[in-house]
Amino acid sequence: MAEFDSNLQKLIDKPTETLDGRKIILKANLDIVEELDYIQKNGAEGIGLVRTEQIFDLEEEFPDEETQYKVYSDLAEKLYPFYVVIRVFDIGGDKVFPVDVQEPNPFLGWRGIRFLLDNKDLLKTQIRALLRASVHKNIKFMLPMISSIQEIRKTKEILEECKTELREKNIEFDNNINLGIMIEVPSAAFMAEEFAQEVDFLSIGTNDLIQYLLAVDRGNEIVSSLYQEFHPAVVRSLYKIIHSGKKGDAKVSICGEMAADILATPLLVGMGLDSLSVSAATIPHIKKIIRSINYEDVKLLAEECLNFKTEKEIRDKLQVYFSEHITDEVENIIS
């Protein structure tokens, strides 16, 4: 195992591309600022998801604009020239935050972008801080729990308001800052092409997407066996999102836990994803797999998986692929 880990470390400075030359951008998720050094040491090509509700610990209070600006600016400077994708506060659901909200069903209620649009000043504070920190032009930001085009367009209006306010104060910012959205609910999955025409990129959040598609609470141990990332409906939805998003001229990435599942890597690459954002510890493992596969081969693998009718058939197919092509990964990780 020590020799295996040593071999992984040798890959840190190597490009993340398949044997036949398809480049995949491999980024890291960031939950706490202290993870940044570890992320860089493991060779991440930027940060694909900054969970701002976690790095600021929203149990006590919402941070002011200056506090946020300093954190975002520091991240951007340290990661330059790589990009940092910052998600605006994803609050509600199973997350604790400093607002007393009585929610009979928090996962389907006042959360994510719904909460932010109803609290415009809070959203504007965060957007202004992001814009001020974007002077190096390596910050992107994205919106959580989008379910309609109206939510995107309303946020874009608020973004323009914030830009106007900063111009009036002669404060520099990236006027072309990229805006993206999380694809986490079925309506967004079905309308990925139309949504993609409104933004610069899509990021698939599989954690919520799977539980909404399958009507399974991923935190409920009684039904946890029904939460299946290789369920045919999930696999087909991912394929539709990826290809619909590209039709809409947007880059498509994935940042949920499925992105860090070693077994899923050939499938995700084969479905045409542009980038993956995973935990820092997983980056060397994912890179090794990507450098061990042919894109044309995994495209065929993905097409086969789209035709299966059960989770077991898909999982078995992926296991067979690993045993035939990536043996050491099976022995050291999957088993």
Side-chain angles (χ1 to χ4, degrees):
M1 191 67 178
E3 182 181 354
F4 176 69
D5 290 338
S6 177
N7 288 335
L8 287 180
Q9 287 298 312
K10 295 176 182 178
L11 297 176
I12 286 177
D13 295 324
K14 301 287 185 180
T16 307
E17 62 181 29
T18 62
L19 293 172
D20 49 355
R22 179 172 176 82
K23 170 69 176 174
I24 304 295
I25 300 173
L26 190 53
K27 302 178 181 180
N29 298 333
L30 180 72
D31 295 328
I32 56 174
V33 174
E34 288 74 18
E35 293 176 319
L36 187 57
D37 287 343
Y38 185 46
I39 285 172
Q40 291 177 302
K41 287 177 182 177
N42 272 16
E45 299 175 81
I47 297 177
L49 171 63
V50 177
R51 295 184 173 100
T52 55
E53 67 281 352
Q54 292 187 213
I55 64 173
F56 289 113
D57 186 11
L58 296 186
E59 292 187 21
E60 298 296 328
E61 61 182 0
F62 291 114
D64 60 25
E65 182 177 327
E66 197 63 28
T67 299
Q68 292 187 58
Y69 161 71
K70 289 177 181 177
V71 171
Y72 305 148
S73 181
D74 187 54
L75 286 174
E77 288 180 10
K78 289 181 177 178
L79 265 297
Y80 187 84
F82 294 123
Y83 281 96
V84 180
V85 180
I86 298 174
R87 183 177 68 189
V88 294
F89 296 135
D90 183 13
I91 45 186
D94 57 351
K95 302 175 181 71
V96 177
F97 59 104
V99 177
D100 184 19
V101 178
Q102 300 299 316
E103 274 284 8
N105 190 338
F107 283 100
L108 298 178
W110 205 35
R111 62 168 302 192
I113 195 64
R114 300 168 185 174
F115 176 85
L116 293 175
L117 289 176
D118 285 344
N119 291 271
K120 184 177 176 181
D121 289 343
L122 175 64
L123 179 57
K124 288 184 69 174
T125 296
Q126 189 164 26
I127 291 176
R128 282 195 304 266
L130 284 165
L131 285 170
R132 289 172 57 197
S134 70
V135 290
H136 296 300
K137 300 187 177 181
N138 67 326
I139 283 181
K140 304 179 182 182
F141 80 102
M142 64 181 173
L143 315 174
M145 295 301 297
I146 290 291
S147 61
S148 71
I149 279 183
Q150 288 89 340
E151 291 166 338
I152 301 172
R153 291 176 177 172
K154 181 60 179 176
T155 304
K156 287 164 74 173
E157 291 176 6
I158 294 172
L159 171 61
E160 292 306 314
E161 288 180 23
C162 292
K163 287 181 178 180
T164 298
E165 291 171 7
L166 293 181
R167 288 192 193 100
E168 289 174 350
K169 296 179 180 179
N170 294 316
I171 296 175
E172 292 185 22
F173 60 89
D174 179 8
N175 189 52
N176 297 312
I177 191 169
N178 276 199
L179 172 66
I181 61 171
M182 297 283 291
I183 302 293
E184 301 170 280
V185 300
S187 61
F190 279 106
M191 294 192 66
E193 182 175 351
E194 290 84 355
F195 285 12
Q197 293 169 1
E198 298 281 334
V199 296
D200 300 294
F201 65 96
L202 309 179
S203 185
I204 304 170
T206 53
N207 300 354
D208 275 321
L209 181 61
I210 293 172
Q211 76 170 352
Y212 287 132
L213 279 173
L214 303 182
V216 175
D217 178 357
R218 57 192 171 97
N220 186 333
E221 294 182 3
I222 299 173
V223 294
S224 60
S225 63
L226 299 177
Y227 182 87
Q228 300 172 347
E229 62 185 31
F230 296 123
H231 189 293
V234 172
V235 172
R236 294 176 192 180
S237 294
L238 293 177
Y239 186 84
K240 174 179 171 54
I241 294 166
I242 294 165
H243 289 268
S244 295
K246 291 186 175 184
K247 285 182 183 177
D249 200 28
K251 294 289 186 181
V252 185
S253 63
I254 186 170
C255 62
E257 290 178 9
M258 186 177 180
D261 185 337
I262 301 298
L263 189 60
T265 302
L267 177 63
L268 296 175
V269 172
M271 287 196 287
L273 279 170
D274 299 301
S275 68
L276 290 80
S277 188
V278 301
S279 62
T282 315
I283 288 173
H285 300 290
I286 301 290
K287 180 179 286 191
K288 185 180 190 305
I289 293 173
I290 292 173
R291 289 176 56 84
S292 302
I293 61 180
N294 279 291
Y295 177 57
E296 293 302 321
D297 289 344
V298 293
K299 276 179 66 177
L300 294 175
L301 174 69
E303 290 170 5
E304 285 187 71
C305 289
L306 289 171
N307 293 318
F308 290 132
K309 298 179 182 178
T310 67
E311 189 267 352
K312 184 179 185 303
E313 289 176 292
I314 295 173
R315 185 176 290 275
D316 287 349
K317 181 66 180 179
L318 296 175
Q319 290 279 12
V320 169
Y321 179 86
F322 265 82
S323 67
E324 293 178 348
H325 297 86
I326 319 172
T327 307
D328 59 346
E329 287 288 347
V330 174
E331 293 174 352
N332 287 284
I333 300 172
I334 296 178
S335 60

